[in-house]
Amino acid sequence: GAVVSQHPSWVICKSGTSVKIECRSLDFQATTMFWYRQFPKQSLMLMATSNEGSKATYEQGVEKDKFLINHASLTLSTLTVTSAHPEDSSFYICSATLTSGGTDTQYFGPGTRLTVL
Amino acid sequence: QKEVEQDPGPLSVPEGAIVSLNCTYSNSAFQYFMWYRQYSRKGPELLMYTYSSGNKEDGRFTAQVDKSSKYISLFIRDSQPSDSATYLCAMPRTSGSRLTFGEGTQLTVNP
């Protein structure tokens, strides 16, 4: 159990285009999902916290108009990178929170590698 | 000062060795402690989850927490080449809240 999927697993796009990344909790419902980005040989950097049915909470320095997050259901959150540029190239990872036995645990998706040409 | 400190390594050990991975933290508000394993170009995988001081064992893995010293460890017994990955410690302030990650330790187990 506790499987989180991401689609696509990798994407290459031209500068100026928008890219949508989907994050799904496959076998559980997640009220809260998180979006991270990770550069090579670095740890995960939290971008935003996504709560179902409400606006995402962005971390300081993350442009909310550039990284649009929608959490339309308890099993799906999407991240749209708008007007992507080469500096947006990165590994984007989502996580979904599973509540069980009174504790909350974050389970991560496999990541999406974005390359902007 | 970072809230969570972790030696990034790299750490290289021979197959069968006991591996010790460690993190220190400065914020006593951290109550829950997790270890994730991340293979190259993959998302992190939860290995261990603890919330009290002491040891927790799961197969070849043992997580140890010392809240008085603000120090946590992950031990891997009989290490295997398949254990080669980056290990990240992570802590939420409360159950379910955002995680604060260590930098991650890159481990290589040589056959």
Side-chain angles (χ1 to χ4, degrees), chain B:
Chain B
Q1 181 187 9
K2 294 181 182 177
E3 286 190 299
V4 180
E5 299 274 1
Q6 183 178 9
D7 185 343
L11 180 62
S12 182
V13 301
E15 184 175 354
I18 296 175
V19 177
S20 173
L21 304 166
N22 311 294
C23 288
T24 59
Y25 61 97
S26 58
N27 193 334
S28 57
F30 290 131
Q31 297 296 316
Y32 302 86
F33 308 93
M34 302 162 184
W35 286 96
Y36 286 88
R37 176 175 63 194
Q38 185 177 24
Y39 291 110
S40 180
R41 299 174 182 257
K42 300 290 185 184
E45 169 195 9
L46 180 66
L47 282 178
M48 303 286 281
Y49 183 141
T50 61
Y51 56 87
S52 60
S53 286
N55 295 350
K56 180 178 181 180
E57 193 171 314
D58 184 0
R60 296 184 294 110
F61 299 92
T62 299
Q64 188 175 80
V65 174
D66 182 347
K67 288 186 177 181
S68 62
S69 301
K70 298 188 178 67
Y71 189 89
I72 66 171
S73 300
L74 178 70
F75 298 97
I76 307 174
R77 292 185 299 280
D78 187 24
S79 56
Q80 303 294 310
S82 58
D83 294 328
S84 299
T86 296
Y87 290 80
L88 297 143
C89 61
M91 307 170 195
R93 283 187 174 75
T94 59
S95 177
S97 68
R98 52 176 290 181
L99 293 173
T100 299
F101 282 94
E103 194 170 342
T105 299
Q106 184 181 345
L107 170 68
T108 301
V109 181
N110 301 299

Side-chain angles (χ1 to χ4, degrees), chain A residues 32 34 36 38 41-44 46 49 59 91 93 97 102-111 113, chain B residues 32 34 36 38 40-46 49 51 88 92 95-99 101-104 106:
Chain A
T32 303
F34 298 87
Y36 298 82
Q38 186 177 35
K41 298 189 182 299
Q42 293 187 23
S43 191
L44 286 77
L46 180 65
T49 302
E59 295 300 300
F91 192 50
I93 309 173
T97 301
T103 60
D104 297 330
T105 306
Q106 280 191 40
Y107 290 91
F108 287 82
R113 185 161 302 281
Chain B
Y32 302 86
M34 302 162 184
Y36 286 88
Q38 185 177 24
S40 180
R41 299 174 182 257
K42 300 290 185 184
E45 169 195 9
L46 180 66
Y49 183 141
Y51 56 87
L88 297 143
S95 177
S97 68
R98 52 176 290 181
L99 293 173
F101 282 94
E103 194 170 342
Q106 184 181 345

